[in-house]
Amino acid sequence: MKIFIETYGCQMNVSDSGKIVYLFARQGYQLTDVSRDADLIVINTCSVREKPELKIFSALGRYIPLKRQRPELVIAVGGCVAQQWGERLLKRCPGLDIVFGTHQLDRLPELVDKVRISRRAVSLTGFKESPGGLEVMAAPAQGAISAMVTIMQGCNNFCSYCIVPYVRGREYSRPSAAIIEEVTILARAGIKEVMFLGQNVNSYGLQEKDEISFVELLTLVHEIPGIERIRFTTSHPKDMSETLIAAFAELPKLSPYLHLPLQAGSDDVLSRMGRGYTAAAYLEKVEKLRRAVPGIALTTDIIVGFPGETEADFAKTLEMLERVRYDQIYSFKYSIRPGTRAAKFEDLVSDEEKRERLARCQGRQDEISQEILEAQVGAVSEVLVTGPSKRGAGEFSGRTGENRIVNFPAPAAIKVGEICRVRIVAALKHSLKGEVLA
Ligand code: 5AD
Ligand code: SF4
């Protein structure tokens, strides 16, 4: 039996897809990248931005006809769009067999069996107290040195533009003991770097009685032998506590890198987004972080063209790019998510205006990103070797603690998974070139 899986959206979806593949591998399935060879096709969807339904309908339009040649083929849609549409997706797409919600990942094998026996489509999208699937641990890929570990899921913030709280449910934190056990197993399997995932990692533990805090979790994971680097995403600026900032200075394995979504530079826009901070409060946190860890690399998310965003508001977003100097930004045109508070907001920004603002934002950021890379030339960095360079030519590729990509000629003695000292000799577009120091 073969499984084909298509994944859209965030890292959590990538991690969830890994878990799905693992659940089916346990039943003897093999992963294939040829959809027409599959006995099971899973589409793991995302509904955060743009028009997710169109993508899913077009994917189903490609896959459902495969049933003509393979009547036993089972097709399942999971993730955020599945959560939102539920049963309606089955009605809209005849030939689709399974819709499973964001809390039901662990039930997928059972649903596939059920469909194979009954030949009747099923939808399972209820929310549970603890999302099923969080305790499914996918084995790391052969030779992998980094692993993603979901530590919490869901969100209680309800930013006015965002669908996540509706499709992922309320915040739930995994028991710290299970996380520590998972990281210990990963470390024994050769993993050097863990990336903690959650919609809001810095409120880890706050909702659960008697659970430890995020900083306490980081401190415990820091002790696990074999783990060299710890990263996490995503953080909410309002939850960037003094203790978490201090942890960056105190825990050397905590990489000097942070993704801190800003969304907008105007206080009016931030307030209508319901973000719970002002631009000044955000900058203050950035200053504290930089005081604690000089050279910490920051990345962010930006939304342009939120309802009511004026040219003057947008100029404040650009100003924040100058003041913070992010390594990279992920910027998006605002798009209405039906059912969210902002969906009712008036004073919409035209698509043309949004496109133009996005281009200006990205254009300026590209320059800043390049300037930051160029400023690294001459520096010596600790680089975690991740594998052969994509460009081949006997080169290795690795990442600095700041998460910058470095390619360098590979001395024979160096192995994947090692941390080595590399002098940066040139800045290319999106990456650095280095040479290993003895
Ligand atoms: N429109 C545009 N971007 C959005 N994001 C979330 N919701 C929307 C929306 N309705 C962006 C935010 C968030 C990232 C994951 O996606 O910037 O941080
Ligand atoms: Fe969405 Fe805001 Fe929650 Fe992030 S913090 S997932 S943007 S509601």
Side-chain angles (χ1 to χ4, degrees):
M1 297 279 245
K2 289 191 175 145
I3 173 173
F4 172 88
I5 188 157
E6 192 160 300
T7 310
Y8 299 112
C10 62
Q11 275 160 314
M12 192 172 285
N13 269 17
V14 173
S15 160
D16 283 351
S17 288
K19 291 178 183 198
I20 292 169
V21 170
Y22 170 75
L23 285 175
F24 284 95
R26 275 204 319 212
Q27 302 199 337
Y29 279 75
Q30 284 171 322
L31 184 63
T32 175
D33 52 12
V34 184
S35 56
R36 76 189 120 71
D37 290 349
D39 303 280
L40 170 64
I41 292 181
V42 181
I43 307 175
N44 196 0
T45 63
C46 169
S47 58
V48 173
R49 293 180 298 270
E50 305 298 331
K51 297 197 170 76
E53 287 84 6
L54 292 185
K55 255 204 231 162
I56 284 92
F57 295 153
S58 104
L60 287 172
R62 285 194 304 278
Y63 301 140
I64 290 174
L66 297 176
K67 287 186 157 187
R68 273 187 234 127
Q69 274 79 46
R70 291 176 88 89
E72 71 288 2
L73 169 64
V74 173
I75 302 179
V77 173
C80 296
V81 176
Q83 185 63 44
Q84 234 180 338
W85 277 68
E87 197 105 40
R88 286 180 299 144
L89 199 57
L90 294 177
K91 296 216 174 74
R92 170 72 175 67
C93 306
L96 170 61
D97 298 292
I98 299 171
V99 173
F100 64 105
T102 55
H103 282 204
Q104 308 291 348
L105 183 155
D106 55 328
R107 302 277 302 275
L108 185 58
E110 185 193 320
L111 294 177
V112 171
D113 288 346
K114 210 162 146 187
V115 166
R116 288 227 155 93
I117 295 164
S118 70
R119 290 277 87 180
R120 296 236 315 260
V122 290
S123 161
L124 193 63
T125 55
F127 279 143
K128 298 193 270 197
E129 195 141 312
S130 64
L134 278 184
E135 297 311 326
V136 175
M137 184 190 157
Q142 192 75 36
I145 55 152
S146 289
M148 295 184 275
V149 175
T150 301
I151 62 165
M152 58 86 64
Q153 183 177 317
C155 182
N156 295 349
N157 287 324
F158 288 91
C159 301
S160 63
Y161 52 82
C162 185
I163 198 71
V164 167
Y166 304 92
V167 289
R168 286 276 180 181
R170 289 301 73 71
E171 287 178 7
Y172 168 81
S173 296
R174 280 178 70 192
S176 50
I179 299 169
I180 307 278
E181 189 189 339
E182 179 166 346
V183 178
T184 307
I185 294 170
L186 289 169
R188 286 204 199 109
I191 292 294
K192 305 283 182 218
E193 176 183 64
V194 281
M195 163 77 127
F196 283 154
L197 296 182
Q199 270 80 32
N200 228 336
V201 287
N202 33 24
S203 55
Y204 172 83
L206 296 181
Q207 328 74 16
E208 281 15 92
K209 235 176 99 204
D210 301 328
E211 191 46 277
I212 61 175
S213 70
F214 183 52
V215 172
E216 285 165 327
L217 178 70
L218 291 173
T219 310
L220 288 177
V221 171
H222 200 265
E223 297 302 309
I224 298 176
I227 296 298
E228 307 283 354
R229 285 185 179 175
I230 307 167
R231 293 192 288 138
F232 54 83
T233 195
T234 286
S235 302
H236 195 300
K238 76 171 169 44
D239 299 322
M240 252 347 264
S241 63
E242 301 276 335
T243 39
L244 182 52
I245 293 173
F248 273 100
E250 283 156 17
L251 303 175
K253 292 179 181 176
L254 204 52
S255 292
Y257 164 85
L258 182 68
H259 183 66
L260 197 61
L262 168 68
Q263 312 299 1
S266 146
D267 289 346
D268 284 349
V269 174
L270 285 171
S271 153
R272 273 180 285 121
M273 286 177 161
R275 290 292 288 173
Y277 55 83
T278 59
Y282 182 99
L283 283 173
E284 201 181 313
K285 303 228 167 164
V286 168
E287 269 160 35
K288 281 187 182 152
L289 272 162
R290 292 222 156 115
R291 232 174 289 139
V293 191
I296 188 169
L298 299 173
T299 59
T300 202
D301 290 343
I302 299 282
I303 298 177
V304 301
F306 188 71
E309 184 187 72
T310 61
E311 182 56 35
D313 288 323
F314 174 64
K316 291 186 177 144
T317 297
L318 291 179
E319 192 185 318
M320 288 297 274
L321 301 188
E322 304 299 334
R323 295 184 74 164
V324 180
R325 291 185 66 83
Y326 296 103
D327 257 51
Q328 264 187 64
I329 65 167
Y330 303 88
S331 49
F332 315 104
K333 291 189 290 182
Y334 169 71
S335 73
I336 295 176
R337 302 293 83 191
T340 59
R341 272 188 295 135
K344 297 204 188 80
F345 290 2
E346 291 171 358
D347 207 3
L348 297 183
V349 176
S350 73
D351 196 54
E352 198 189 325
E353 192 69 36
K354 283 194 267 194
R355 233 181 304 132
E356 196 263 337
R357 286 182 191 167
L358 188 70
R360 271 155 71 199
C361 191
Q362 290 174 341
R364 178 60 191 129
Q365 179 58 39
D366 284 349
E367 293 168 0
I368 295 174
S369 298
Q370 200 55 38
E371 287 161 16
I372 290 176
L373 285 183
E374 272 155 24
Q376 304 311 308
V377 175
V380 174
S381 284
E382 307 251 303
V383 172
L384 176 63
V385 185
T386 50
S389 150
K390 275 195 201 131
R391 298 178 308 158
E395 281 197 344
F396 267 148
S397 191
R399 272 181 287 109
T400 67
E402 294 82 7
N403 212 27
R404 299 181 185 125
I405 297 169
V406 187
N407 294 305
F408 52 91
I414 287 203
K415 289 194 211 67
V416 171
E418 261 178 49
I419 292 184
C420 54
R421 280 161 54 79
V422 173
R423 185 190 305 285
I424 307 302
V425 295
L428 310 178
K429 251 192 152 195
H430 312 300
S431 70
L432 297 166
K433 217 172 144 46
E435 58 192 26
V436 177
L437 298 180

